[in-house]
Amino acid sequence: MTTAPFILALPCRSVAVPGDALRIEPEPRRLLTDGPRLWIGEDTPTVDLGEAGHAIGILFRRDGAQRVRDGLETVACSGLEAASQLVAEFWGAYVAILRMPGDELALMSDPSGLFPVYCSRTPTHFLATSDPRLLGPVTGKSSSIAWSALRRFLAHPELRTQETCLSGVEELVPGTLHFPHENRTQPIWTPSAFFPRAPYPHLDDAARQLREIVIEVVGAWAEALGSVAVAASGGVDSSLICAALSEGAKDFSCATLSTADRSGDERAYVALLANSLGAKWTGRIYDPAGFDPISPASQGLPRPSRRSFVGSIDALLADCAHELGADFVLDGNGGDNMFCFLHSAAPVVDRLYAEGPGRGVFETLVAMCRVTEADISTMVRASIRRLRRGAAGGRPADTRLLVVDGSAHAGSDLMPVWRELDFGRQSGKRDHFELIMRTRNRIHGLGVGPRRFSPLMSQPVLEFCLGMPTWLWFEGGINRAIVRTALSGVLPPELLARTSKAGPDSFIRRAFDHHRTVLRGRLLDGLLERHGITDRKEVEQALATDITSRGSIVYRLLDLAEAENWARSWT
């Protein structure tokens, strides 16, 4: 199982035969008939929900994290009741096809977003699929690029939207029931149900709870996916996954990638981690010449949402997994954001509103000074400004190297029903929530992509993190304090004390320099330039950049190259 492919076709009311039951077809090309039809890949897991419908993907029970393999006799008969029961009593990576009154079918993608579902309409049918490449064979029409949407995406590359960069293709909102015939949605799961409320937990209690949750969640995924290797760096997030597997008595190994120079070499930390847990490990060295400047890392996706250089990461991790005998690679993607890696005065102000002036607020003030390396007077001023003005607005559009024509505003939010959430006076929780939303383009689930998985985005972990007050993540003046406390006594102190880690920056810059000529040709005479998205003059100037400069323009150029390669793959 890599992509868990499926495609569902629901006829419009004018075409549908009343009472016609959902039928599974052996080939996707035969779906456009007068009844609801479903095609699923040979290895795509499914769960029978009885009279309520079906689920595609992987489901676990809340109690004990036992995987549901065959059917669920306890699911409510009503599709609406079943949707509520699924998000309350189960979790996983799935989409539910639910039967509503009058034989209408509705869809719900689970709240984690670990199984993205995309939908499209023809004059006669509504289509939903996990793989946009299946839409062409079903409809007989090739997918086309929505160039204005691509421009918006490039201006907000971290923002996941309902809008994709393919014409007529949208993404279903996780945790929301979608009624295709009525073209309306109904939220079933809402993050506000998990926001912090008094009495607030102590650090030790929160750490114990997180530890129990992650052991269950990561262990369940390891059982479901097969033998696993962890993409390890010796940092907090990947170390948490390794520790959870070890504590849950699950077999695993570690894979690490390093730059040729010391700036991105974490093998010593990974060796310490693996040896302390009794796990095998192996590693690979990034090779700038091995970077493919013309192959899209986002192949098959409806947006160029993966960074261009992760194609090299995919290949090296797959090579490590093969050596280690692993079927899947688990990664800690999304961990920083899930575990509230904020660098602001937000936790200070949140605690002041929650508890009033006192010792607790002062402790958080000092803690945030340590985390941000700001002095007390600077942090006090920042807190006052936040009290007066509230949280800052969303991030501005990144219009670097783009033709500015006034259309850089973001498309419709993937979470439109969540935009008006009431965060109360704890605006730091809004910042935390936005961090979580902005990591969704970087996580790996059951959708299109490599055999990698990001278990820290699972619903139980997500709900726990939403429920923790922002200041608790920084208790003692160290980031992700809840995670570090959860790992205390399990991992060596040298690993727990790390507050930063290395990265592949030197590899990325050298890969850019090594392939600069090819990149120049694609960006100066490509589809983005032809459709008026990139500013040719600015791109040409940026292509001459010195890779020793510490700016991020190299990354921006590579993002544009990924968009160019992605667009060519769809044309």
Side-chain angles (χ1 to χ4, degrees):
M1 178 185 60
T2 304
T3 62
F6 82 92
I7 185 163
L8 171 72
L10 302 179
C12 301
R13 282 201 172 100
S14 59
V15 177
V17 174
D20 197 354
L22 176 64
R23 281 191 273 173
I24 297 178
E25 295 288 349
E27 294 189 12
R29 299 176 188 273
R30 299 163 61 179
L31 296 183
L32 300 188
T33 66
D34 54 3
R37 300 292 183 263
L38 172 66
W39 174 85
I40 52 175
E42 183 177 353
D43 296 323
T44 298
T46 60
V47 176
D48 184 4
L49 302 180
E51 294 185 18
H54 306 269
I56 299 173
I58 296 177
L59 233 64
F60 303 100
R61 298 181 186 274
R62 287 272 187 170
D63 185 10
Q66 180 183 3
R67 182 175 176 184
V68 180
R69 291 188 175 274
D70 299 319
L72 286 176
E73 296 178 359
T74 59
V75 169
C77 293
S78 160
L80 186 58
E81 292 175 353
S84 298
Q85 187 177 354
L86 283 172
V87 300
E89 300 179 19
F90 301 88
W91 60 274
Y94 65 89
V95 58
I97 304 171
L98 300 172
R99 187 174 294 109
M100 296 293 157
D103 294 321
E104 180 180 4
L105 295 180
L107 289 84
M108 183 184 70
S109 179
D110 86 89
S112 71
L114 284 168
F115 192 21
V117 177
Y118 309 101
C119 59
S120 182
R121 290 183 182 273
T122 73
T124 59
H125 285 76
F126 168 88
L127 301 173
T129 182
S130 58
D131 188 341
R133 291 171 295 190
L134 293 172
L135 294 172
V138 170
T139 63
K141 296 181 180 179
S142 301
S143 297
S144 59
I145 308 297
W147 295 104
S148 59
L150 179 58
R151 183 196 304 273
R152 286 190 289 273
F153 174 83
L154 291 172
H156 299 270
E158 292 186 349
L159 183 62
R160 190 71 165 251
T161 63
Q162 277 184 276
E163 177 183 70
T164 75
C165 300
L166 295 178
S167 296
V169 178
E170 290 191 340
E171 182 171 350
L172 294 185
V173 178
T176 298
L177 201 57
H178 183 79
F179 298 86
H181 284 158
E182 302 173 29
N183 197 24
R184 68 177 179 90
T185 58
Q186 179 176 338
I188 302 298
W189 182 93
T190 177
S192 59
F194 307 95
F195 288 166
R197 291 174 177 84
Y200 303 107
H202 295 289
L203 178 62
D204 288 342
D205 294 333
R208 189 179 309 111
Q209 186 181 355
L210 176 62
R211 180 170 169 171
E212 293 172 354
I213 290 172
V214 176
I215 288 174
E216 272 203 347
V217 164
V218 175
W221 281 122
E223 290 282 346
L225 298 174
S227 59
V228 296
V230 179
S233 64
V236 169
D237 306 324
S238 59
S239 295
L240 176 62
I241 294 173
C242 292
L245 290 168
S246 177
E247 291 290 290
K250 306 296 182 185
D251 290 332
F252 73 100
S253 51
C254 297
T256 190
L257 308 181
S258 307
T259 56
D261 57 59
R262 295 180 60 187
S263 69
D265 187 351
E266 298 176 309
R267 285 173 291 182
Y269 290 108
V270 174
L272 179 61
L273 169 69
N275 293 337
S276 70
L277 299 176
K280 294 189 300 181
W281 74 279
T282 191
R284 297 291 186 272
I285 302 296
Y286 292 113
D287 178 10
F291 169 75
D292 188 344
I294 65 173
S295 178
S298 307
Q299 181 82 39
L301 292 171
R303 314 173 185 88
S305 51
R306 304 186 78 220
R307 310 299 293 271
S308 61
F309 53 83
V310 302
S312 297
I313 295 175
D314 295 339
L316 292 174
L317 286 177
D319 193 40
C320 288
H322 178 74
E323 176 187 335
L324 295 166
D327 298 317
F328 258 82
V329 174
L330 301 184
D331 61 48
N333 288 15
D336 285 353
N337 296 36
M338 288 286 283
F339 302 139
C340 199
F341 204 164
L342 292 172
H343 274 68
S344 72
V348 181
V349 175
D350 281 1
R351 193 163 193 182
L352 177 62
Y353 278 133
E355 299 180 355
R359 179 177 177 177
V361 175
F362 181 74
E363 289 175 350
T364 301
L365 179 73
V366 173
M368 295 312 297
C369 287
R370 291 174 180 168
V371 170
T372 63
E373 299 183 347
D375 57 40
I376 286 184
S377 62
T378 299
M379 187 58 63
V380 168
R381 289 194 298 270
S383 301
I384 292 172
R385 285 196 300 270
R386 193 174 183 97
L387 281 166
R388 289 175 175 172
R389 304 174 188 172
R395 299 186 187 184
D398 184 356
T399 58
R400 291 176 302 163
L401 311 186
L402 302 182
V403 173
V404 179
D405 66 351
S407 64
H409 60 281
S412 56
D413 195 336
L414 179 57
M415 312 300 168
V417 296
W418 298 350
R419 278 183 297 202
E420 304 303 323
L421 287 175
D422 182 8
F423 293 91
R425 304 179 79 181
Q426 294 193 26
S427 62
K429 181 52 62 175
R430 182 178 69 184
D431 293 353
H432 183 197
F433 180 70
E434 289 183 356
L435 277 179
I436 294 172
M437 292 302 101
R438 287 182 178 274
T439 199
R440 293 196 174 231
N441 280 336
R442 308 290 179 239
I443 63 172
H444 298 99
L446 294 187
V448 177
R451 294 178 73 82
R452 286 171 63 184
F453 198 83
S454 307
L456 295 181
M457 187 55 74
S458 298
Q459 186 181 343
V461 183
L462 171 62
E463 292 171 354
F464 169 86
C465 292
L466 289 173
M468 291 299 103
T470 54
W471 62 85
L472 202 62
W473 294 103
F474 303 95
E475 189 163 314
I478 191 167
N479 62 56
R480 293 166 288 178
I482 302 176
V483 184
R484 297 179 195 277
T485 305
L487 293 172
S488 180
V490 180
L491 297 183
E494 301 95 311
L495 293 178
L496 295 179
R498 295 186 73 196
T499 56
S500 62
K501 61 182 179 181
D505 181 72
S506 64
F507 154 69
I508 294 167
R509 294 177 184 277
R510 289 172 181 169
F512 166 80
D513 195 41
H514 186 87
H515 299 284
R516 196 188 298 246
T517 300
V518 175
L519 293 169
R520 175 185 295 276
R522 293 182 82 80
L523 290 177
L524 294 183
D525 188 28
L527 295 175
L528 299 188
E529 198 276 335
R530 207 173 305 160
H531 285 84
I533 292 178
T534 52
D535 185 310
R536 182 185 177 89
K537 183 178 180 181
E538 289 188 7
V539 169
E540 193 163 17
Q541 292 174 345
L543 283 165
T545 192
D546 183 348
I547 63 167
T548 61
S549 64
R550 304 312 302 169
S552 61
I553 198 65
V554 165
Y555 287 80
R556 181 60 166 173
L557 285 165
L558 289 174
D559 284 348
L560 295 181
E562 172 65 14
E564 176 68 29
N565 294 334
W566 171 88
R568 294 189 188 200
S569 74
W570 283 104
T571 55

